[in-house]
Amino acid sequence: MDTYDGFWDRIARKYAAQPVDDVPSWEKTLDHIRRYLTVESHVLEIGGGTGSSALKLAGDAKDILSSDLSYEMVAIAEEKRAAANEERVRFLQGVAGDPQLRRDGGYDAVIALNLLHLLPDPPQSYRAVREMLKPGAVFLSKSACLKEMNIFVRMAIPLMKLVGKAPKYVQFFTGAELEQQLRDSGFEIVESCRYPTGGTTHFIVARRPN
Ligand SMILES: C[S@@+](CC[C@H](N)C(=O)[O-])C[C@H]1O[C@@H](n2cnc3c(N)ncnc32)[C@H](O)[C@@H]1O
């Protein structure tokens, strides 16, 4: 992505130092993801950040390739992997949909947590993800649906961009619009819910049809 402004690399160390802001929601999301994995699953994560989720899920799949646009995020993830001596997870720099992330035979699951609203061209990435999945396999995503947030949050984002406190690409969609974009990109919606309940963050399971 030649127009990347380096935002995520600049903030990576600070991001890594921050505690997860809602641990129960995160644990619930991971448990929900586990329902779709088996110890035979080949898993790709996109926008995996510093690898916290991939490392937590390591024992629930055969292997996990966790990728991220930011070299610095990947470097931190790799430090954590080495410290944990975890061999079932690999970390690789790559944008969502990057052909280098493909796996011969396809993946059983692709995971995207807190990413979809940050993609420059979401439908293009969804179509690429679809092609990387085996027929019948699932795309598991948790996304901030910014269009459902209050007006103050929505107005703050362009201002934050101006002062370098928000990334270049921020997409505004509702949960219903996100589901429709996934359908338009060739997925079937299997389920959709919110963590925390009633919030604006949607957990969506979409399947590549057989
Ligand atoms: C909000 S963080 C979420 C990280 C992690 N998934 C989590 O839940 O903690 C968004 C991550 O997406 C990455 N990212 C942003 N745009 C991306 C893109 N087009 N392709 C892949 N990763 C991207 C950023 O570098 C950052 O690590």
Side-chain angles (χ1 to χ4, degrees):
M1 195 162 48
D2 57 356
T3 51
Y4 170 50
D5 59 1
F7 175 85
W8 293 104
D9 286 277
R10 281 199 303 279
I11 68 149
R13 294 276 158 189
K14 202 169 161 196
Y15 186 88
Q18 283 167 0
V20 175
D21 65 352
D22 184 350
V23 174
S25 290
W26 183 44
E27 294 287 0
K28 215 167 169 180
T29 303
L30 294 177
D31 280 343
H32 208 148
I33 289 171
R34 288 186 180 103
R35 290 188 220 158
Y36 287 89
L37 306 182
T38 74
V39 288
E40 293 303 314
S41 298
H42 299 287
V43 178
L44 171 68
E45 183 179 31
I46 52 175
T50 62
S52 304
S53 296
L55 290 167
K56 280 260 197 183
L57 293 169
D60 300 291
K62 188 168 181 84
D63 50 64
I64 302 179
L65 173 60
S66 178
S67 61
D68 197 279
L69 158 71
S70 157
Y71 285 96
E72 194 61 19
M73 292 281 189
V74 171
I76 297 166
E78 180 52 28
E79 287 164 17
K80 286 160 64 173
R81 190 206 63 74
N85 199 17
E86 179 54 74
E87 299 289 327
R88 295 164 293 191
V89 182
R90 279 193 307 130
F91 293 102
L92 189 67
Q93 189 279 336
V95 298
D98 195 327
Q100 67 158 340
L101 302 177
R102 283 176 184 275
R103 176 184 178 275
D104 286 347
Y107 291 101
D108 298 288
V110 174
I111 299 170
L113 302 178
N114 307 306
L115 171 73
L116 304 187
H117 64 296
L118 303 170
L119 296 173
D121 184 348
Q124 185 195 48
S125 298
Y126 304 157
R127 288 191 297 272
V129 165
R130 184 185 179 280
E131 293 312 305
M132 289 185 198
L133 285 167
K134 295 177 183 174
V138 285
F139 183 26
L140 304 153
S141 64
K142 182 181 158 209
S143 317
C145 293
L146 301 177
K147 217 168 169 180
E148 297 179 3
M149 291 186 179
N150 70 55
I151 183 79
F152 301 108
V153 176
R154 284 182 278 144
M155 280 170 60
I157 288 170
L159 300 175
M160 287 168 69
K161 275 193 200 182
L162 278 178
V163 294
K165 298 278 184 202
K168 182 172 181 180
Y169 299 106
V170 182
Q171 309 289 346
F172 290 77
F173 46 67
T174 63
E177 287 169 349
L178 174 55
E179 287 180 25
Q180 191 55 49
Q181 279 190 347
L182 288 165
R183 280 192 204 94
D184 292 344
S185 305
F187 287 96
E188 295 168 352
I189 304 300
V190 178
E191 58 169 324
S192 180
C193 55
R194 300 168 196 240
Y195 299 136
T197 308
T200 54
T201 302
H202 291 241
F203 179 82
I204 298 177
V205 181
R207 189 189 307 277
R208 174 181 177 162
N210 282 310

